Amino acid sequence: YPIRGIVVSHHQGVIDWKKVAGDDVAFAYLKATEGGDFRDRAYARNWREARDTGIAVGAYHFFTFCRPGADQAANVLAVVPVEADALPPAVDLEFGGNCGRTPDGATMRRELDAFLAPVERAYRKPAILYVTPEFLDAYSKQLPARALWRRSILRKPNGIVPWQVWQYHNRGRVDGIAGPVDLNVFVDDADAFVLWRALAQ
């Protein structure tokens, strides 16, 4: 998998994006928002500086079960600029760090749809869904038809459920970042990555 990417938020501190770009990093997803009102304080700086290096950049939102999907979409729209060359917006779907509520499948899907509709309309591209194994086990039948970004730290994701991006490490090291960072790969080669970005625009 020649196309490698990272995921960052304010937890990574001040990032030297020029060094990151020189360390075999082709794309970066940046935390922008969480729930209905949280906004990552490093997002705007990371978005600007990462784009300046030529790294392909996208924003991700941590989806909470304790706020309506429409409220969460409004939070994203207030923070993330519309850029035609940005990666598809990502939705972080997991139980870890969530609010403790576990909705049934129909409720989860209803609120996720309420989030996706305005977000995808604004950014004019389908979202990618980041899913942990636990979330996928619980809601695989209720997930909408979207590309998946799968977390699988110990081994490659099984081939039963296709994936577009794979998070293979949660404590990797990259030049320009002082501490650990999530590492990911794109499913195919550089030509396919260019095509994926173009189709998402």
Side-chain angles (χ1 to χ4, degrees):
Y1 302 101
I3 304 299
R4 186 169 78 142
I6 60 173
V7 180
V8 301
S9 69
H10 69 276
H11 292 295
Q12 275 68 43
V14 177
I15 296 172
D16 186 331
W17 284 101
K18 290 183 179 179
K19 289 185 178 179
V20 171
D23 192 19
D24 190 32
V25 173
F27 68 94
Y29 267 98
L30 320 174
K31 184 170 186 178
T33 49
E34 179 174 333
D37 48 23
F38 177 84
R39 299 172 181 182
D40 193 279
R41 63 178 180 269
Y43 170 73
R45 181 184 69 243
N46 284 333
W47 180 267
R48 181 181 64 254
E49 294 181 1
R51 283 175 61 85
D52 286 347
T53 69
I55 292 174
V57 175
Y60 83 88
H61 170 80
F62 187 94
F63 191 86
T64 178
F65 302 134
C66 290
R67 290 293 296 269
D71 290 355
Q72 298 187 62
N75 192 23
V76 172
L77 296 178
V79 173
V80 180
V82 176
E83 300 282 0
D85 63 345
L87 295 173
V91 190
D92 185 345
L93 299 170
E94 59 180 293
F95 298 118
N98 217 301
C99 65
R101 182 181 299 170
T102 304
D104 60 54
T107 301
M108 185 282 297
R109 177 61 185 269
R110 182 177 65 248
E111 296 303 331
L112 181 58
D113 284 346
F115 173 86
L116 290 173
V119 167
E120 293 180 335
R121 185 167 56 248
Y123 300 108
R124 300 180 181 180
K125 58 190 71 179
I128 185 170
L129 308 181
Y130 172 94
V131 290
T132 61
E134 297 80 12
F135 192 94
L136 194 58
D137 287 345
Y139 295 120
S140 61
K141 294 182 180 178
Q142 287 79 31
L143 287 175
R146 299 292 189 282
L148 293 185
W149 174 359
R150 295 187 59 187
R151 172 189 169 97
S152 185
I153 303 302
L154 296 179
R155 58 182 61 87
K156 179 182 175 181
N158 64 54
I160 298 173
V161 180
W163 54 273
Q164 195 81 35
V165 178
W166 165 26
Q167 181 194 347
Y168 67 91
H169 205 317
N170 63 345
R171 296 189 64 81
R173 295 287 178 171
V174 170
D175 288 349
I177 298 177
V181 64
D182 292 351
L183 301 179
N184 306 263
V185 289
F186 178 69
V187 69
D188 211 329
D189 62 15
D191 290 340
F193 184 72
V194 171
L195 180 60
W196 179 58
R197 291 188 68 192
L199 290 175
Q201 295 179 26

